[in-house]
Amino acid sequence: MRINEVSGMWAIRQLQLLSGQQSGLIGQLSRATILFNQDVSSSAIAERLKAQISGYQRAMYESHNAIGMLSTAEAGLGSIHSALNRLRELAVQASNSTLSDSERSALQEEYSQLLQQINATSQNVSYNNIRVLAGEVTNFNVQTGPNEGQRMTITIPAVDSERLGLSNTNITNIENAQRALEAIDLATESVSRMRSYIGATTNRLLSAINEMSGTMINLTSSLSRLTDTDFARSTMEFFRTQLLQQSSLINLIHSNVSRQIVLRLLW
């Protein structure tokens, strides 16, 4: 069965098209030169502006990559949150003394499967070969500007049944189900804090991108007056294709995430 194949192929073709457009724009920017009737001082200023603009471009690119990574982590945490909600429902149900042995056994089987699902999500959700919920995002540095010290550090702890305090829980009897409820509530609170952290970090990155964008516009406008290339237009077009490329990449990632979720439901 093909799931989300059309949207995935569309995203891939978009990425290929935008990559070609970016190559052409990079060529235009690299050919920008100072007019012969301008003095050496203007040339030096223009080169410094180019260096700053290049730094902003790279910082914006890295910031968008970080947002993509955080979006992937958020999707995985959303899946884990749903699993925790179902675990809690099962624990509440198992606390009922009127259950038969076969009913309690069926509840425990689903409970165990959900714990395995949480572990699988922790190990399999990745962005650019980084397992974002397996503890591989530790002191992850993101450059948020072209200068020294303009960076942000991101850490996403591992999220699996053991680290959430659920690996030794079960609902085989009322007492165990009650203990499981307490552990599940603590795990849910932990996941909620992580999701809040990811949301706040994403907002900080977006704010940094907006600030860099405004500064870069001012720099490119200044540079365009010193060069024989419409540097401002070319640079902003380059920036536009970068954003579209990042958007297509995130669409492709979400397409893959959606495929995994649908397949799990079918299974």
Side-chain angles (χ1 to χ4, degrees):
M1 178 182 294
R2 293 186 176 182
I3 302 172
N4 286 342
E5 189 69 20
V6 174
S7 62
M9 291 302 297
W10 176 87
I12 292 172
R13 285 194 290 269
Q14 275 291 101
L15 286 171
Q16 292 172 337
L17 176 62
L18 292 169
S19 179
Q21 292 178 355
Q22 282 189 323
S23 296
L25 290 168
I26 290 172
Q28 292 180 20
L29 296 175
S30 66
R31 290 191 297 271
T33 57
I34 303 302
L35 295 174
F36 288 112
N37 61 354
Q38 303 230 349
D39 55 29
V40 176
S41 175
S42 296
S43 178
I45 293 172
E47 290 304 319
R48 285 198 297 270
L49 289 175
K50 283 184 184 181
Q52 283 285 301
I53 291 168
S54 178
Y56 276 114
Q57 288 174 341
R58 190 64 200 179
M60 292 175 74
Y61 178 78
E62 296 299 338
S63 296
H64 275 289
N65 273 342
I67 289 175
M69 179 183 71
L70 291 170
S71 296
T72 302
E74 165 61 23
L77 288 173
S79 176
I80 290 175
H81 222 151
S82 296
L84 289 172
N85 289 337
R86 180 55 182 163
L87 284 173
R88 196 178 197 288
E89 291 176 4
L90 294 173
V92 170
Q93 191 173 352
S95 298
N96 189 344
S97 58
T98 61
L99 289 178
S100 65
D101 290 342
S102 61
E103 289 173 329
R104 193 176 299 279
S105 177
L107 293 179
Q108 176 59 42
E109 177 62 25
E110 184 179 354
Y111 189 93
S112 298
Q113 290 291 330
L114 286 168
L115 291 181
Q116 293 179 25
Q117 177 185 323
I118 290 174
N119 292 334
T121 300
S122 174
Q123 292 299 312
N124 296 332
V125 173
S126 62
Y127 181 87
N128 195 24
N129 295 323
I130 300 173
R131 295 182 301 168
V132 295
L133 297 179
E136 295 184 1
V137 182
T138 302
N139 294 326
F140 188 89
N141 290 317
V142 182
Q143 194 72 19
T144 56
N147 303 315
E148 181 182 1
Q150 293 180 316
R151 68 179 184 178
M152 183 185 300
T153 301
I154 300 173
T155 295
I156 303 175
V159 187
D160 54 36
S161 62
E162 181 178 358
R163 289 171 177 82
L164 290 174
L166 300 175
S167 59
N168 294 323
T169 62
N170 64 73
I171 53 174
T172 54
N173 56 53
I174 293 177
E175 291 76 15
N176 289 345
Q178 287 293 298
R179 285 193 288 269
L181 273 174
E182 182 180 1
I184 292 167
D185 286 344
L186 291 174
T188 301
E189 183 180 348
S190 178
V191 171
S192 295
R193 284 197 302 269
M194 279 184 267
R195 297 183 75 178
S196 296
Y197 167 78
I198 287 174
T201 305
T202 299
N203 288 336
R204 285 180 60 195
L205 286 169
L206 288 172
S207 178
I209 289 171
N210 289 335
E211 183 177 346
M212 286 188 286
S213 176
T215 303
M216 195 171 73
I217 289 174
N218 293 332
L219 291 175
T220 52
S221 295
S222 298
L223 184 59
S224 66
R225 292 191 292 269
L226 298 173
T227 63
D228 60 353
T229 296
D230 190 348
F231 206 86
R233 180 182 297 275
S234 297
T235 301
M236 295 315 298
E237 184 65 18
F238 179 85
F239 169 63
R240 185 186 70 83
T241 59
Q242 274 191 329
L243 292 181
L244 290 174
Q245 188 178 47
Q246 186 67 29
S247 177
S248 297
L249 181 59
I250 292 175
N251 286 336
L252 179 59
I253 290 170
H254 284 315
S255 173
N256 291 333
V257 170
S258 298
R259 183 183 300 126
Q260 292 170 4
I261 293 174
V262 174
L263 286 174
R264 186 166 60 245
L265 290 174
L266 292 176
W267 177 81

